[in-house]
Amino acid sequence: MTDSVFLVVDSDADDLAKFAGALTSRYASEYEICTAATASEAHATLAALSVAGITVALLIVSRDLGDADLLLLLQRARELFPSARKVLSARYLDPSAFDFITGAMRTGRIEYFLYKPCEPVVTRLYPVVDDLLGGLRRTSQERGFEAIRIIGEQWNPRSHQLRDLLERTTVPFGFYDSESEEGKRILAQAGVGGSRLPVLCIHSGAVLVDPTNEQVAVALGARTTPEPGLYDVAIVGAGPAGLAASVYAASEGLRTVLFDPETIGGQAGTSSRIENYLGFPRGISGGELAHRAFEQAQRFGVSVVFSKAATRLRADGMRLIATLSDGAEIESRTVVIATGVAYRRLDVPSLERFAGVGVFYGAAMSEAPPCTGEEVLIVGAGNSAGQAAIHLARFASRVTMVVRGQSLAASMSDYLIRQIGALSNIDVRLGTWVVDGQGDKRLEAVTVERVDGKREKLCAAGLFVLVGGTPHTQWLAGTIEMDAKGYILTGRDLLSSGRPPSGWRLEREPFFLETSMPGVFAVGDARCRSVKRVASAVGEGATAIQLVHEYLRAA
């Protein structure tokens, strides 16, 4: 038997056989397909698999079992296998199925549903399973393929940074502690010692010792220097807004360059599951969504440059020149700024020494598995915090959400609040904030304070901070107009006195997304008064290209 299985539970023998046969036909090389005809048999199978250390990747349960047995089985499956994807199968035209399915999905008891008969399986079964498991890249990683092996110290900031970088690029990788037997074996096989860490062993045979992000990007085949020549549009930032702008620009014939100091996805790329993005009813991870958009951008010929940050922007006549962190310059006719925001750091000095070794700013998906069986805390009350809590609850024994306000409803979507409420290992502390952190080489505990002044020390193997945002716009200070918090002013927000901003050289007013510098547009979270949602960022990125066309036509 493999170390990961699919379990199908159905009291109808024909339906059970059809599901098992279809899944075996496609997935038997990666997963063992197990079946159970009753709830008691399924409970016994789950217990046996748990004792044997075998993972349940997918659970398909028929509603024919009955509501009580079904809910109890789903709860038990979550307790034993929190990372398992749970699917409910129901018969067509069952008048009570819709309400039950809707309630189960809203509370997070199941990830999706299937109607029986599930035929043809190539359109009704396989796409659902592939989406829930994360597609081919995820299944390749689950069956053991590692494009990169990282050997380093578990609680080291640079090790965390590299894990996070590769996680967000959806590159299958493995991490090995340098003190473990396997870590020592890999280092010896690579012919390097452990004096300089971390070490990256690439599947191609290359070995990188304590590499920079640029060296990692080169090893992955990414471009780190721009192609010469004049571009029609230069896009700064490869989050959802920047990726959307690049896809629409290049698909419409504009010579386009997209650059980012890290990788694709931005903040959204760290989201474990985005469930309210139009067109993805089974949800999609932020990394997977970003990767798909990146593939589209490549298909349309976008020149993508990684590991370079923009440090300056200036106008030279009708041309705009962006200076990069290595001194290189990119000339373009227009610019789209999509630099997004960074999560604000907590004003708790004792936490700073644990950054990357227990304290993580953002969802840090790569740090979820190491938290298995541990207690973790999340600071924040927005959608990103909610998604992170649900994801971490699959691994951690307890997730405590520390929320300064008195309600989640003011900043979090209802579907996330319902899912959090249905999970017994998530605790929401309202009117509470973090005031101190303790630990030796890594974070071990934090102290929280309540509105009544009482303090409490909580065990914490990880503290994930997802509060507020600081826009990545410091490099534009003195160049374009921003509000007091550094968010970029665009369109009518520039007309505070009813007139265009000082220095505006055109007779017309700025376009909707245009900044105080003609031909420069701002989209996504870095823009003042933007809606902090992935769909809104994508919409602004697409809209900006329409305005780029208008600008170029008049130039």
Side-chain angles (χ1 to χ4, degrees):
M1 180 176 287
T2 65
D3 60 358
S4 191
V5 307
F6 290 174
L7 175 60
V8 184
V9 187
D10 202 312
S11 58
D12 186 292
D14 288 339
D15 289 337
L16 186 63
K18 288 177 181 177
F19 271 121
L23 293 170
T24 299
S25 176
R26 181 168 178 127
Y27 301 102
S29 64
E30 305 165 32
Y31 302 93
E32 182 81 10
I33 312 302
C34 299
T35 61
T38 65
S40 59
E41 185 181 347
H43 278 286
T45 301
L46 288 173
L49 292 171
S50 177
V51 170
I54 297 171
T55 300
V56 175
L58 177 70
L59 174 67
I60 301 179
V61 187
S62 171
R63 185 145 188 273
D64 293 344
L65 293 182
D67 293 358
D69 284 344
L70 176 57
L71 291 174
L72 186 61
L73 181 59
L74 291 172
Q75 177 61 31
R76 186 56 175 160
R78 178 168 187 87
E79 292 171 357
L80 293 177
F81 303 100
S83 62
R85 298 298 183 185
K86 300 173 292 298
V87 178
L88 178 69
S89 63
R91 298 191 181 282
Y92 278 106
L93 306 181
D94 178 350
S96 63
F98 182 80
D99 288 342
F100 186 88
I101 290 170
T102 301
M105 290 184 65
R106 291 181 70 183
T107 55
R109 289 184 170 89
I110 61 174
E111 274 72 42
Y112 205 61
F113 63 94
L114 295 165
Y115 281 124
K116 301 186 295 183
C118 196
E119 298 173 349
V121 294
V122 293
T123 58
R124 296 188 180 275
L125 176 61
Y126 296 155
V128 173
V129 174
D130 286 343
D131 278 358
L132 290 174
L133 295 179
L136 295 178
R137 279 175 293 278
R138 174 70 178 273
T139 54
S140 293
Q141 189 167 357
E142 285 180 341
R143 65 173 178 258
F145 173 71
E146 296 169 346
I148 296 179
R149 292 181 173 184
I150 306 174
I151 303 91
E153 298 170 293
Q154 174 68 55
W155 300 106
N156 176 273
R158 184 55 181 160
S159 292
H160 158 66
Q161 291 166 3
L162 289 172
R163 290 197 300 269
D164 187 55
L165 179 69
L166 294 177
E167 184 77 39
R168 288 192 286 142
T169 56
T170 68
V171 173
F173 71 93
F175 177 80
Y176 300 86
D177 193 288
S178 57
E179 293 301 315
S180 68
E181 291 303 315
E182 184 66 6
K184 293 176 181 178
R185 186 191 67 80
I186 296 173
L187 287 175
Q189 191 176 44
V192 296
S195 58
R196 290 181 59 202
L197 297 170
V199 173
L200 270 63
C201 296
I202 315 297
H203 183 63
S204 62
V207 176
L208 304 179
V209 179
D210 192 18
T212 64
N213 284 0
E214 182 171 0
Q215 289 171 324
V216 175
V218 171
L220 295 176
R223 177 181 290 276
T224 60
T225 57
E227 297 176 358
L230 178 67
Y231 289 92
D232 293 312
V233 57
I235 301 166
V236 190
L243 286 166
S246 69
V247 167
Y248 280 93
S251 68
E252 294 169 11
L254 298 178
R255 186 169 189 247
T256 306
V257 61
L258 169 69
F259 54 100
D260 192 284
E262 294 183 352
T263 185
I264 57 173
Q267 256 190 18
T270 68
S271 295
S272 58
R273 202 103 191 136
I274 301 171
E275 297 185 63
N276 60 352
Y277 188 70
L278 188 67
F280 291 89
R282 295 177 286 276
I284 186 170
S285 73
E288 180 68 18
L289 182 64
H291 193 91
R292 294 186 185 194
F294 177 62
E295 288 179 340
Q296 283 180 293
Q298 287 184 303
R299 175 189 170 196
F300 289 121
V302 176
S303 177
V304 185
V305 179
F306 290 120
S307 75
K308 297 295 189 301
T311 60
R312 185 186 176 198
L313 180 65
R314 71 181 192 276
D316 185 3
M318 295 299 293
R319 296 188 177 189
L320 297 163
I321 302 175
T323 303
L324 304 186
S325 50
D326 64 350
E329 294 186 336
I330 293 179
E331 290 191 33
S332 61
R333 301 167 69 193
T334 62
V335 169
V336 176
I337 300 170
T339 47
V341 300
Y343 286 112
R344 193 169 62 244
R345 302 180 84 85
L346 296 179
D347 187 19
V348 181
S350 59
L351 293 177
E352 288 304 307
R353 70 186 182 95
F354 299 116
V357 287
V359 176
F360 309 104
Y361 291 89
M365 287 175 57
S366 63
E367 300 303 328
C371 292
T372 298
E374 303 275 10
E375 296 183 27
V376 301
L377 275 72
I378 293 176
V379 181
N383 276 9
S384 295
Q387 290 161 355
I390 293 168
H391 179 62
L392 284 163
R394 296 179 179 275
F395 302 90
S397 61
R398 175 153 297 278
V399 177
T400 300
M401 297 189 69
V402 179
V403 179
R404 185 177 286 269
Q406 296 301 318
S407 169
L408 291 176
S411 53
M412 188 181 294
S413 294
D414 179 70
Y415 80 93
L416 288 170
I417 296 175
R418 289 178 178 272
Q419 290 185 27
I420 288 170
L423 296 176
S424 59
N425 64 333
I426 297 183
D427 179 28
V428 180
R429 303 279 191 103
L430 300 175
T432 308
W433 52 91
V434 176
V435 295
D436 195 13
Q438 302 90 31
D440 185 13
K441 293 183 179 180
R442 52 168 288 194
L443 181 73
E444 297 172 2
V446 300
T447 300
V448 298
E449 182 175 328
R450 302 199 311 242
V451 290
D452 60 8
K454 292 184 178 179
R455 292 190 173 192
E456 182 180 358
K457 188 175 181 180
L458 303 174
C459 294
L463 176 69
F464 298 83
V465 182
L466 300 98
V467 291
T470 302
H472 289 296
T473 56
Q474 300 86 347
W475 62 286
L476 294 167
T479 302
I480 61 176
E481 294 194 14
M482 296 178 274
D483 69 7
K485 295 181 178 179
Y487 289 94
I488 300 171
L489 299 175
T490 59
R492 296 194 64 81
D493 284 338
L494 291 165
L495 308 178
S496 57
S497 61
R499 300 174 59 84
S502 175
W504 184 259
R505 56 180 171 77
L506 303 180
E507 294 184 4
R508 63 167 176 82
E509 294 181 351
F511 291 138
F512 165 47
L513 298 173
E514 196 169 19
T515 70
S516 58
M517 181 179 288
V520 177
F521 302 86
V523 296
D525 290 359
R527 188 179 72 85
C528 177
R529 296 205 293 182
S530 65
V531 178
K532 305 301 189 284
R533 291 289 186 269
V534 174
S536 301
V538 169
E540 287 190 7
T543 301
I545 300 308
Q546 177 186 354
L547 301 177
V548 163
H549 282 298
E550 289 190 40
Y551 174 83
L552 293 176
R553 279 196 296 269

